Amino acid sequence: MDTANLFRELHRPQYHLTPKTGGLIDPTDLIYYKGEYRVNNGLASSTDLINWKLGKRARLSTDKESQMSGSVVYDKDNTSGFGKSGKGPLVAIYSGLQRSNRTQYQCIAYSNDDGANWEIYNRNPVIDLNSTEFRDPQVFWHADTKKWVMAVAMAAQQKISFYGSANLKEWEHLSDFGPMGAVKGVWECPDIFPLYVDGNKNNKKWVLAVSVQPLAGQYFIGNFDGKTFKADKEFESALGRLKSEEASNPGEVLFDFENGFEGWKNEGDAFSDKPETGPVNLQGPVIGFEGKKFVNSFHNGDKGAGKLTSPDFTINKNYLNFLLGGGAYPKDLHVDLLVDGKIVRTMSGVNTEVLYWKTWNVAEFAGKKGSIQIVDEGDGDFRHILADQFTLSDKPASTDWEKTRWIDYGPDFYAVRSWVDSPDDLNHRTWVAWLGSWLYLREIPTSPWRGGHTFPRSVSLSSFPDGIKLIQQPVEAIAKLRTEHFSLENKKVSGNHRIPGAAKLENTYELIAEIDLGTATEVGFTIAGKGVENTVLSYKVATGELTVDRTHSGNVDFSPAFPGKYTAKVDAENRKLKIRMLVDRSLIEVFANRGEAAITSQIFPSAGSNELIFYARQGKATLNKLDLWKLKSIWNK
């Protein structure tokens, strides 16, 4: 390992938290304690949320049990009885994973030396439902009912369970919330806290955040009485309006597997002799198939090789739509369309047990005979394929994410958690998320580290014409990192305007732009650019779509799940738009207007791809004001 250039690597973020070496995924065990913001139980700490001191996470795993995500609380009144000499202990509440049968349950450990050493409770687990999908406890003290409250995910059921305890050792089930909102994925990493709306002390609401694997996090706004969380009726109505926008995928169903593999040829040992009805062996939950049966090549684990081939059918519509999941290994795992005995279309999964709609335009083969083959020639981790509901249709399948209130509309914001006991007030809360995705975690092209955390965000609630929304902005302390400054005012642009001096910032900067859309139909920025390589942040005036397009952002070929476009709806009042953007070598975080929409995305540009351009299409727009700051590295002092 090149220790001399540690933290100077090409794609290494300079002001975001990353590990020296190895991986960093979910933020866990977040607590503000004795003047420090702590992350991952000793892995890192900071006094200002900017400069991080790296350490080593306390490991609570055993020979029989793996430690999963959870939380840490300061039991200042020693309700647990673990404290010594009249001093309250730190108590960790975390999920244990039984190595032998993959069951998950809740455990506790305690420390009487400020987290330097931990003692695992000898009566663990404290909650055990004999479930393989029961994880990620977030615990806090609920003063009104004078008890500890735990929010924990019933992952495969898309529910958050609430438990109460007087001593952190004995827990009573209080209630469940869900399913609601986005349900095409397992629910994980809940967080819950109160906030004033618009700073009004007479209008307190509770925010419940839930991560939806493998996509992103959604949030709910409502009330919590110490026992039950109820989403506001207005919030539920807003979700209903969003759901009504979702397109269905009608058409002529060719194969839905409800009658087995009738007419299909089954070769090899990758596939069972009949479709599956759910997960098999120790497979995780499978979500998104229709009806009761689907194709699943996991019946031999991730071993075996084989092929399913359908009977012939006539291509009589313009699109062939189908549900697909499984591994992202195109050479080994793929669904193919054959016409005249030749493969004319092919597609693989994206490393998830969720089946998503995919579509092929097959208009050029109208009137011809076609067949489907489903191939599994892989052997190893996630080398299996899932498929269902092959349908001929006059229109393409809707491949958008589910409609809900997403916390972030980008692909790399997951497992968000807030700091317990922080000096926040009820006007704002501070949280952070994993900068990454389960869809391509294994393939990320960085070394010697992999993954990191987003920049800490200040969270609040604000009123809008269509209801109360979550507002996010980088924490104010980011101003400490600002060095070189460039500004523009009242710059009218038609076409492209290269921002002078941006290239020397080497993709490590903060940008704030106030834009008058004028007569333009589209405005935006091309980021980390050189020639045809760039990441595009665009805003379409007619539709209000703010999009990050990373399909040409540099290295995008390491996973079929990586290239993509990610869109949030943003209203531009009086044709004015405000954009705040953090760019840090291999990532961008975008905040629109007050911060009601955010998009976070990793990018891996080539060396020297560092141009920044503002553009306006089919008309003229004005940069009323643009501020650009170089942000100094927190690592290279």
Side-chain angles (χ1 to χ4, degrees), residues 179-184 187 218 220 239 243 402-404:
M180 185 183 290
V183 296
K184 292 181 180 178
W187 281 19
Q218 64 177 329
F220 305 94
L239 291 184
K243 283 289 184 184
E402 290 181 273
K403 303 293 185 181
T404 189

Side-chain angles (χ1 to χ4, degrees), residues 15 473-475 478-479 481-482 484-486 505 507-512 580-584 626-631:
Y15 58 93
Q473 289 288 353
V475 294
I478 193 172
L481 298 177
R482 294 171 178 167
E484 301 173 48
H485 178 233
F486 172 80
L505 302 183
N507 296 330
T508 309
Y509 57 82
E510 176 189 8
L511 177 150
I512 299 178
R580 187 174 189 180
M581 183 164 54
L582 305 183
V583 177
D584 194 3
L626 182 143
D627 287 292
L628 186 65
W629 292 274
K630 170 75 173 179
L631 297 185

Side-chain angles (χ1 to χ4, degrees), residues 25 214-215 326 328-329 349-352 382 401 410-414 434-446 450-451 550 555-564 566 586 600-604:
I25 52 174
L215 295 176
Y329 302 97
V350 290
N351 282 347
T352 176
F382 232 105
W401 289 6
D412 293 305
F413 185 95
Y414 194 75
W434 170 35
L435 183 68
S437 170
W438 287 108
L439 296 179
Y440 38 78
L441 168 66
R442 301 169 180 85
E443 291 79 32
I444 284 294
T446 61
R450 186 178 67 252
R550 67 177 182 190
N555 185 355
V556 299
D557 297 331
F558 56 87
S559 168
F562 188 78
Y566 309 94
S586 58
T600 299
S601 174
Q602 293 184 91
I603 57 174
F604 300 100

Side-chain angles (χ1 to χ4, degrees), residues 178-192:
M180 185 183 290
V183 296
K184 292 181 180 178
V186 297
W187 281 19
E188 297 182 315
C189 302
D191 195 3
I192 182 170

